[in-house]
Amino acid sequence: MKLVIAIVQDKDSNRLSNALIKDGFRATKLASTGGFLKAGNTTFMIGIEDERVPDVMQVIRSNCKVRDQLVTPVTPMGGTTDSYIPFPVEVQVGGAAVFVVPVERFEHY
C-alpha cells in the first residue's frame, strides 16, 4: 500500500477532484499554501494499493497543467526600498508535486 500526496494549484483542484471520483479513487483534500508565491494550493492524500499507483498518477498528470504567470517580486527585507522597483517576472506555476510513500499499516474503522 502507498500514500500518494499530490500538491496542486487551486485552479486544478476541482478538475482533479472530479477526475479522481470518476475513476473510483478516494482522496482527502487539504487546503495548503505554497512557499514561493504564497498562493493557495490543494493537497490531496490518496491511500492506494501498489498496483493502482500508475493509474492515479495518470489521472493527476492529465488534470494538472503547468502554466506561465506574471508575478511581482516581494520587496526585499532590510535595506532601503527607495531604489527597489518591482518588475513583473514570468514564472511557471501549476502542475503537481507528487510524493509516493510506503504505508506500513492501514486501518479503517
Side-chain angles (χ1 to χ4, degrees), residues 51-105:
E51 61 274 3
R52 294 193 70 200
V53 170
D55 299 331
V56 79
M57 295 297 281
Q58 181 57 42
V59 172
I60 295 168
R61 187 179 301 108
S62 298
N63 289 279
C64 300
K65 303 298 180 194
V66 174
R67 59 188 65 81
D68 292 329
Q69 177 177 320
L70 285 175
V71 297
T72 304
V74 220
T75 307
M77 297 298 284
T80 171
T81 59
D82 294 338
S83 61
Y84 178 72
I85 303 171
F87 289 103
V89 177
E90 191 171 66
V91 296
Q92 286 191 332
V93 297
V98 183
F99 302 88
V100 180
V101 295
V103 174
E104 184 176 319
R105 182 174 170 176

Side-chain angles (χ1 to χ4, degrees), residues 5-62:
I5 304 167
I7 304 163
V8 305
Q9 191 178 33
D10 278 345
K11 288 182 180 180
D12 296 325
S13 175
N14 285 336
R15 183 173 47 251
L16 177 59
S17 181
N18 291 336
L20 289 169
I21 291 167
K22 179 179 163 268
D23 288 352
F25 297 109
R26 295 174 52 176
T28 298
K29 287 174 43 171
L30 304 170
S32 52
T33 304
F36 176 60
L37 298 176
K38 310 285 190 264
N41 292 327
T42 302
T43 300
F44 288 84
M45 296 184 356
I46 307 159
I48 197 80
E49 297 82 8
D50 290 0
E51 61 274 3
R52 294 193 70 200
V53 170
D55 299 331
V56 79
M57 295 297 281
Q58 181 57 42
V59 172
I60 295 168
R61 187 179 301 108
S62 298

